[in-house]
Amino acid sequence: MKPLILLLFLSLSSPILCAQGEPFDYLMFTTIYPTAVCRADDDTVPDSCEIPNGTPQWSIHGLWPNFENGSYPQNCRGIPRHFDENLIKTIEDRLCVIWPNLYPTKTIQSFWKHEYDKHGTCAQSERLFESELAYFTEVMKVFDSVDIAKAMSSVGPSDKMIGTKQMTDALAGVLQGKHFQFNCLRDKKTKQFLLGDIRFCLNKDLTLRDCPGHHNDSHLNRVSRFERSVRKHGQPPLPNFQPCPAEFLYLPAESSTVSSKPADSSSPSLIGRVWNAIKGIGK
């Protein structure tokens, strides 16, 4: 009996490796401006970046657990450990609209998989994100609660240059005056800096908080592995997000995105149909 008693003692005294996720300090929500993403790409590779019909002016990039020191957990122990599309079927139709994939050579599910496997699994240390469905549901709630496009309407989109103060003033109300971050993409053709994303920070209960003052480069291109997989060997890399200079452009929309939030109808808008017709000329 002694070996059995010893085995029982060891099993009780050893750490139980069933915890999900990874402890973290806060969350960063990132919304991207699809018009800038595809303009910066400049169609170096034809049709490499396309904005699906019905995509809102600003769409979801991701919700990421972070540490205060600028680092972040990734690819954690989750349930499931890897993305399972079947678990989000009930919300998939809306995810397709507000969390689109802009790269036709990859499936939209591959983008969601990247974000869940790398970041969603780590968020599961908090009960609010205890499942894959819960993670994607809460991300959509954050998107719905902060209307970036409406707030930014006071400074554009337009062909005029804007700067940090205009961004801060425009978003002060919707972000309750909290410190946020934003980044630019550089147009390959014109070399202009284009407003590409806006990032704000949340406590674990999804209330707004200040983002840390540091601007860690490791945060800038969290989908870089996903984006690198878009291009085949020998093709030019996709543009990288980088801190904006003193002045930059918030481009007018050149897609079917005409409102701050997606419409209920899945049919293309008039502007979207016209834009698609223009894109089809000469193809």
Side-chain angles (χ1 to χ4, degrees), residues 146 148 171-180 198-200 208:
V146 181
I148 292 294
L171 295 172
V174 72
L175 296 181
Q176 301 175 13
K178 303 299 185 184
H179 180 265
F180 62 94
I198 293 173
R199 309 178 182 203
F200 55 90
L208 289 164

Side-chain angles (χ1 to χ4, degrees), residues 14 35 39 41 59-61 66 70 77 82 84 93 100 109 124 141 157 173 190 222 225 242 256 266-267:
S14 300
T35 293
R39 172 74 72 86
D41 183 49
S59 62
I60 298 172
H61 186 158
N66 285 330
R77 181 188 299 273
H82 298 292
D84 181 351
D93 286 348
Q109 290 80 10
Q124 287 186 4
K141 288 181 181 179
T190 67
R222 293 203 183 182
R225 184 171 62 184
Q242 55 189 296
S256 59
S266 60
S267 61

Side-chain angles (χ1 to χ4, degrees), residues 66-88:
N66 285 330
F67 298 125
E68 295 287 357
N69 65 6
S71 62
Y72 56 90
Q74 55 183 311
N75 301 311
C76 302
R77 181 188 299 273
I79 299 177
R81 183 65 177 267
H82 298 292
F83 175 75
D84 181 351
E85 183 185 0
N86 292 321
L87 299 178
I88 59 167

Side-chain angles (χ1 to χ4, degrees), residues 152-248:
M152 286 292 292
S153 63
S154 63
V155 294
S158 74
D159 292 315
K160 297 179 180 179
M161 303 288 279
I162 63 172
T164 299
K165 185 179 187 307
Q166 289 162 293
M167 289 280 295
T168 301
D169 291 346
L171 295 172
V174 72
L175 296 181
Q176 301 175 13
K178 303 299 185 184
H179 180 265
F180 62 94
Q181 298 178 7
F182 57 93
N183 298 287
C184 285
L185 294 161
R186 196 170 191 188
D187 190 322
K188 290 183 178 180
K189 182 182 293 183
T190 67
K191 307 304 180 184
Q192 293 174 312
F193 284 92
L194 315 174
L195 178 62
D197 76 24
I198 293 173
R199 309 178 182 203
F200 55 90
C201 296
L202 303 158
N203 296 306
K204 295 177 183 179
D205 63 357
L206 299 184
T207 56
L208 289 164
R209 55 154 281 171
D210 288 317
C211 289
H214 54 73
H215 205 131
N216 194 311
D217 288 343
S218 67
H219 284 183
L220 294 183
N221 294 289
R222 293 203 183 182
V223 295
S224 59
R225 184 171 62 184
F226 173 78
E227 291 177 336
R228 282 198 302 270
S229 70
V230 170
R231 296 298 176 86
K232 297 179 180 178
H233 180 70
Q235 293 177 341
L238 288 162
N240 286 328
F241 289 96
Q242 55 189 296
C244 294
E247 292 189 321
F248 47 91

Side-chain angles (χ1 to χ4, degrees), residues 21-42:
E22 179 76 21
F24 59 91
D25 297 323
Y26 70 97
L27 294 150
M28 177 177 282
F29 182 87
T30 299
T31 178
I32 61 170
Y33 189 48
T35 293
V37 173
C38 287
R39 172 74 72 86
D41 183 49
D42 190 32

Side-chain angles (χ1 to χ4, degrees), residues 43 47 50 53 253-256 270-283:
D43 277 340
D47 301 324
E50 296 289 332
N53 287 334
E254 295 184 356
S255 71
S256 59
L270 174 61
I271 293 177
R273 292 196 298 271
V274 171
W275 172 247
N276 288 335
I278 293 172
K279 289 195 299 181
I281 296 175
K283 287 190 176 181

